[in-house]
Amino acid sequence: MAPRIPLRRRRRTKIVATLGPASSTPEVIERLYRGGADVFRLNFSHGSHEDHAERIRMIRELEKKVGRPIGILADVQGPKLRVGRFQGGRVQLQAGQHFRLDLSATPGDVRRVQLPHPEIIEAARIGTSLLLDDGKLRLRVVHKREDHLETEILVGGPLSDRKGVNVPDVALPIPALTAKDRADLDFVLPLGIEYIGLSFVQRPEDVAEAKAIAAGRAWVMVKMEKPQAVENLEGILDLTDCVMVARGDLGVECAPEEVPLIQKRIVREARARGLPVVVATQMLESMITAPAPTRAEASDVATAVFDGADAVMLSAESAAGQYPFEAVNMMDRILYRVEQDAGWRQITDAARPAPEKNSAGAIAAAARQVAETIEAEAIATFTSTGSTTLRVARERPASPILGLTSSESTARRMAVVWGVHSLVSAEPHSMTDMVAKAVRATQAEGFAQAGDEIVVTAGVPFGTPGTTNALRVAAVK
């Protein structure tokens, strides 16, 4: 007998799983979905267009099989700043010595190497810090010329060809989208994806550029990974559709002790705006090679849940690790267990932002309050763009949220949103029809049965984005 298709998750926080060499067959992708993955991430730093197109095809086939909307995140690479090559492929840099970064393509040695990014040379100042190889080596600029930087090695170590360069101290005059990123977006947007992962964001203008390219075809998910982005957080959040706390790169350019506080600030600010927020990188990293996480990693995942994140993400754990299913399943178990804790609900309620000062915000807050008072089995939201459902999710209600929409793309976008079980449903044509559709959906999906009550909210006239203004209580018969 075929296993029963799970129609609903037992927890509210969502899981984003990255696909890669370890997880690119229909069987493994289906197993990851059944293990808990709600959104699949395609990392455009690796793989060909053909690879990604095939993964999209397999996800959509799985979607038809399980009858549930699945979100796809296309994460573009962004600018990759790297040093050039060395004569022997590798050198050993010693602390206290000087090291030159210049524009010459001549293979480097222990005294110098190419830095093929004149923008960095132009933007750097005396005292600017340069981090190499994910922060393992640290240099400080002591002299500057038009074609090179003379630096002092503060922290030495081995340095090999094409290792990365980070410049945490200055905003670089480099756009977030490269020619490769634009080509990748031109390729993947017509295939139908839900989110664009935008790397190397420094300023609000970077978000505006990506949104213009997306043109409503996908949400822009800003990856917060640079200090300049944190400094411009409010302006960036005002423009973006959702946000990711990308702690890997953030931890290279920011002091480690600052990263947990930055994570909490980003989650708090995103929640106040009702923007979906994903916490990512190194969450269960030991599970790349081990079948179980460290206790610290389990605690880290739990912290993201207590912070109020909409979703948590697996990177190499599911893309290239030895235990992709086990990693997804472990994350699912941690999320579920945390959400059963009475302290989690108390913290979630205490952290709830004040209602938005408009009628739509008031209706969303009222929906939660009414649902709690009558112990409703679910809150059914009718939405065309997702705005009504996002407002209710912002309230973090105790009742499950059904996101009912006539738009397949909107239903898929809701896959990353906290507590939302999305469904494609015909647009209601009256309040009576709206209530009837909501009652049928909650029964069919196993949320309510005869004698239960549900709360229904929508925008009237139906199909008009951003008009959350109707609230009903319905009895299931």
Side-chain angles (χ1 to χ4, degrees), residues 17-26 28-29 32 39-48 51-52 54-56 58-59 73 314-322 324 328:
T18 304
L19 298 182
S23 49
S24 290
T25 66
V28 174
I29 293 174
L32 295 185
V39 173
F40 288 109
R41 171 177 172 255
L42 309 178
N43 185 357
F44 275 79
S45 295
H46 307 284
S48 66
D51 294 335
H52 293 304
E54 180 62 13
R55 289 176 184 130
I56 292 172
M58 289 186 283
I59 293 167
L73 165 61
L314 295 167
S315 299
E317 301 97 326
S318 58
Q322 299 175 28
V328 171

Side-chain angles (χ1 to χ4, degrees), residues 94-391:
Q94 301 294 330
Q97 296 183 352
H98 280 203
F99 189 69
R100 176 176 291 192
L101 300 165
D102 58 41
L103 299 176
S104 171
T106 304
D109 53 30
V110 74
R111 296 181 299 275
R112 60 154 295 278
V113 76
Q114 181 189 21
L115 180 65
H117 305 289
E119 303 92 342
I120 295 180
I121 296 175
E122 180 181 349
R125 300 289 180 265
I126 304 302
T128 293
S129 294
L130 298 172
L131 308 178
L132 308 181
D133 193 9
D134 289 334
K136 297 183 181 70
L137 292 82
R138 180 180 290 269
L139 315 178
R140 181 179 61 204
V141 176
V142 293
H143 297 291
K144 173 182 174 178
R145 298 290 184 268
E146 287 186 3
D147 61 349
H148 74 267
L149 298 173
E150 194 73 32
T151 73
E152 179 187 1
I153 302 168
L154 302 182
V155 179
L159 181 63
S160 54
D161 293 346
R162 305 288 296 156
K163 288 300 183 182
V165 180
N166 292 82
V167 190
D169 298 346
V170 296
L172 297 175
I174 298 173
L177 290 169
T178 65
K180 176 188 184 305
D181 298 331
R182 291 174 178 276
D184 289 341
L185 291 177
D186 286 344
F187 166 76
V188 79
L189 280 167
L191 298 181
I193 56 155
E194 284 60 65
Y195 328 98
I196 296 168
L198 186 62
S199 302
F200 206 84
V201 171
Q202 299 184 96
R203 53 186 76 83
E205 292 80 3
D206 296 330
V207 187
E209 182 183 10
K211 291 199 75 170
I213 293 171
R217 292 174 289 176
W219 279 352
V220 172
M221 181 181 291
V222 165
K223 297 167 64 178
M224 301 295 295
E225 55 190 6
K226 294 190 67 63
Q228 292 77 22
V230 178
E231 293 170 8
N232 293 313
L233 179 61
E234 287 77 12
I236 288 170
L237 293 185
D238 286 343
L239 290 179
T240 194
D241 301 301
C242 37
V243 62
M244 179 191 294
V245 188
R247 303 176 308 173
D249 286 297
L250 196 61
V252 171
E253 299 206 6
C254 298
E257 65 270 21
E258 295 295 328
V259 175
L261 302 177
I262 293 171
Q263 172 178 317
K264 291 180 183 297
R265 179 190 168 197
I266 295 170
V267 173
R268 183 172 62 249
E269 295 283 352
R271 276 204 57 197
R273 289 168 167 78
L275 299 176
V277 55
V278 180
V279 175
T281 323
Q282 299 175 333
M283 303 215 78
L284 297 178
E285 188 165 17
S286 66
M287 291 193 73
I288 295 172
T289 56
T294 67
R295 306 306 176 263
E297 288 168 338
S299 181
D300 179 47
V301 175
T303 295
V305 181
F306 280 113
D307 286 349
D310 287 75
V312 288
M313 192 177 96
L314 295 167
S315 299
E317 301 97 326
S318 58
Q322 299 175 28
Y323 302 96
F325 170 77
E326 289 80 1
V328 171
N329 183 251
M330 176 56 67
M331 190 165 266
D332 178 76
R333 288 162 53 191
I334 296 169
L335 302 181
Y336 173 73
R337 178 62 188 90
V338 172
E339 292 179 8
Q340 302 309 301
D341 184 70
W344 167 77
R345 175 43 68 183
Q346 292 171 357
I347 291 172
T348 298
D349 290 343
R352 180 178 297 114
E356 297 174 289
K357 296 185 182 299
N358 51 47
S359 58
I363 290 291
R368 175 190 58 80
Q369 293 165 349
V370 171
E372 290 179 3
T373 300
I374 67 174
E375 298 183 344
E377 295 300 318
I379 301 174
T381 64
F382 283 86
T383 185
S384 57
T385 63
S387 59
T388 296
T389 307
L390 284 170
R391 288 190 178 98

